[in-house]
Amino acid sequence: QVQLVQSGAEVKKPGASVKVSCKASGYTFVGYYLHWVRKAPGQGLEWMGRIGPNNGDTASAQKFQGRVLMTTEKSSDTAYMDLSRLRSDDTAVYYCARAYGSGNFLGAFDIWGQGTLVTVSS
Amino acid sequence: DIVMTQSPLSLPVTPGEPASISCRSSESLLHRNGFNYLDWYLQKPGQSPQLLIYLGSKRASGVPDRFSASGSGTDFTLKISRVEADDVGVYYCMQALQTVFTFGPGTTVEIK
């Protein structure tokens, strides 16, 4: 079936980097944009950015620019989100999500990964 | 960035009764193609978010027809015709018009 499977939980120290993977299966990987969304404890959902697996097109929220790197590996149908210079307020569950939309509408996140808990603590 | 607001932020509901959540955007979400670039999501406790509505009013696959959405421009509404116990969780609207997407703060729906 169509699914996104993410890598396991991570514990990092402030200043370190984390790389979360998101492996797609059951559909044509290059045919859909992938988005990254996080949820910090006690906070709402926060959109981080997106990547088009076919062309590598990326966009990210301003607060993450310079710290986030989104990539894809077409040979393994896997997307990656690399967040650097971690701070304690980066502690959150990170989700990848497939965008059902296409063309100029890249919303409608119809498939979500199970989430990856990243804990930043000294 | 477009700022999304929701009201109420907390909504106690009675099973079998209707419920309604409002979402407003700081700029119009109406694309020149006539669609509103607004989605609704529900995050149930302990689960990943799930898509309920996209393009303002289109129900996602598998979503019960007691969920409906309406609105255009800057004002949108999600309605549940008859709330069920399984509908508890946090409901979010999200704009997908600009390059940078933004979510509303969320509305927590709980059973009275």
Side-chain angles (χ1 to χ4, degrees):
Chain A
Q1 75 275 28
V2 178
Q3 62 179 354
L4 296 171
V5 178
Q6 298 182 223
S7 48
E10 303 262 13
V11 179
K12 296 291 183 180
K13 293 193 181 303
S17 298
V18 68
K19 190 169 187 175
V20 179
S21 68
C22 169
K23 182 170 176 56
S25 61
Y27 73 96
T28 302
F29 179 65
V30 296
Y32 299 82
Y33 271 69
L34 280 170
H35 295 251
W36 290 92
V37 175
R38 76 178 187 180
K39 187 181 180 314
Q43 304 296 311
L45 298 177
E46 181 175 30
W47 183 84
M48 297 181 68
R50 68 161 187 266
I51 184 166
N54 195 39
N55 56 15
D57 170 54
T58 61
S60 60
Q62 187 169 12
K63 69 180 288 187
F64 299 108
Q65 288 178 10
R67 281 209 304 145
V68 70
L69 179 64
M70 293 169 288
T71 57
T72 59
E73 187 176 79
K74 288 190 273 191
S75 62
S76 63
D77 292 348
T78 303
Y80 299 92
M81 189 281 298
D82 201 319
L83 189 62
S84 61
R85 303 193 299 278
L86 290 168
R87 307 184 294 253
S88 58
D89 61 359
D90 289 318
T91 294
V93 176
Y94 290 76
Y95 297 97
C96 58
R98 185 186 83 163
Y100 173 72
S102 61
N104 55 43
F105 175 63
L106 299 179
F109 304 164
D110 65 335
I111 305 296
W112 292 70
Q114 83 275 22
T116 296
L117 174 62
V118 175
T119 303
V120 183
S121 174
S122 55
Chain B
D1 295 352
I2 295 177
V3 177
M4 306 298 292
T5 58
Q6 293 180 229
S7 63
L9 297 183
S10 179
L11 182 59
V13 297
T14 300
E17 294 296 307
S20 179
I21 299 170
S22 173
C23 171
R24 287 187 171 176
S25 57
S26 61
E27 299 176 33
S28 176
L29 302 183
L30 182 62
H31 191 275
R32 60 182 180 273
N33 62 15
F35 290 104
N36 287 279
Y37 281 20
L38 180 102
D39 298 341
W40 287 95
Y41 297 88
L42 164 61
Q43 186 168 30
K44 297 181 180 180
Q47 296 185 20
S48 300
Q50 61 186 84
L51 176 66
L52 295 176
I53 303 287
Y54 64 100
L55 288 173
S57 61
K58 295 181 178 295
R59 241 184 337 265
S61 176
V63 174
D65 60 7
R66 50 202 181 75
F67 288 91
S68 65
S70 61
S72 185
T74 61
D75 292 314
F76 301 89
T77 302
L78 176 71
K79 293 182 179 179
I80 311 173
S81 59
R82 296 174 306 280
V83 173
E84 296 185 0
D86 189 50
D87 297 337
V88 298
V90 184
Y91 290 76
Y92 297 91
C93 57
M94 184 198 80
Q95 67 82 17
L97 183 68
Q98 290 188 341
T99 300
V100 173
F101 292 5
T102 44
F103 285 93
T107 294
T108 301
V109 171
E110 56 185 16
I111 300 296
K112 282 183 181 175

